[in-house]
Amino acid sequence: MSVVIVTGVPGVGKSTVMAAAEEYGYKIVNFGTTMFEEAQKEGVANRDDMRKLAVEDQQRLQKQAGEKISQMGDVVVDTHASILTPSGYMPGLPEWTVKALNPDVIVLVEATPDEIAGRRSKDASRARDSDDIDLHQNVNREYASTAAVMTGATVSIIENHDNQVDDAVEQFRKILKK
Ligand code: AMP
Ligand code: MG
């Protein structure tokens, strides 16, 4: 297996769940960090400001990041199925990006809206939006399915509930072992 895309709403704990990937020889790439490296060259100061840029600017940065990551070989990509922008939910895996990445699996990490709201309130390092978490997770399922149908990737849903992160990591290990 070569490319695994891991998605989930901000604060669901995807970075924690995917930490096991390194044991299996995968490089972990954070899509937002790769995008932010490009955005900083254009004067964007904070990664949480990127989703407020004009959608066409976000798409340009997204394309640059997707192209870079598609050259990296076996990777687990930490990203989003959708990004909440002022003009609506922007696909994180639009046709041009998902076809460039050509994933084998698209993982959705999920938890209950209350669990996610609790995790966000404990993380002062990020500027999180106060949005409708249930709706965002539903939109993510729809967008992930579309990306899967375009590429033939499978979709796997990992539940990351409070005090059960070991279970979530185990679910992720099973995906990587295949
Ligand atoms: P994160 O640290 O994963 O929350 O990502 C930081 C920011 O990177 C997000 O708020 C988005 O602005 C941007 N980002 C991450 N992945 C994508 C993507 N696939 N498409 C567009 N923007 C993305
Ligand atoms: Mg993260």
Side-chain angles (χ1 to χ4, degrees):
M1 189 179 297
S2 54
V3 175
V4 179
I5 294 182
V6 182
T7 69
V9 295
V12 74
K14 28 181 213 308
S15 315
T16 314
V17 170
M18 71 179 70
E22 275 166 350
E23 292 164 32
Y24 292 86
Y26 285 89
K27 186 176 154 137
I28 299 176
V29 182
N30 187 300
F31 199 106
T33 301
T34 307
M35 250 178 89
F36 187 47
E37 284 163 8
E38 299 296 322
Q40 277 174 306
K41 295 178 196 161
E42 300 176 15
V44 178
N46 186 305
R47 66 192 289 133
D48 286 315
D49 290 339
M50 289 194 293
R51 63 179 177 272
K52 316 282 197 264
L53 296 171
V55 168
E56 60 186 22
D57 291 328
Q58 295 186 54
Q59 288 175 338
R60 183 172 42 76
L61 294 165
Q62 181 187 51
K63 270 186 198 148
Q64 291 166 2
E67 279 158 18
K68 272 196 174 173
I69 295 169
S70 70
Q71 310 295 316
M72 292 181 184
D74 279 13
V75 282
V76 170
V77 186
D78 179 335
T79 190
H80 297 275
S82 76
I83 293 94
L84 181 55
T85 78
S87 42
Y89 292 101
M90 181 180 90
L93 301 168
E95 189 231 355
W96 54 82
T97 299
V98 78
K99 282 192 177 158
L101 295 176
N102 193 23
D104 300 277
V105 189
I106 300 171
V107 175
L108 290 155
V109 181
E110 297 185 349
T112 69
D114 282 349
E115 287 170 330
I116 294 164
R119 292 171 200 171
R120 286 182 186 178
S121 69
K122 286 181 203 133
D123 179 5
S125 73
R126 298 295 301 269
R128 305 296 199 193
D129 296 319
S130 56
D131 57 344
D132 183 334
I133 295 171
D134 189 41
L135 174 62
H136 199 172
Q137 290 198 120
N138 283 323
V139 170
N140 284 343
R141 283 193 181 197
E142 307 276 1
Y143 284 19
S145 325
T146 307
V149 170
M150 276 192 284
T151 54
T154 56
V155 172
S156 180
I157 297 176
I158 293 182
E159 295 193 31
N160 183 29
H161 293 301
D162 284 352
N163 309 314
Q164 293 173 36
V165 70
D166 292 348
D167 276 7
V169 172
E170 197 45 43
Q171 291 171 60
F172 190 55
R173 282 209 172 90
K174 281 189 187 140
I175 293 168
L176 296 175
K177 267 186 216 155
K178 294 214 171 96

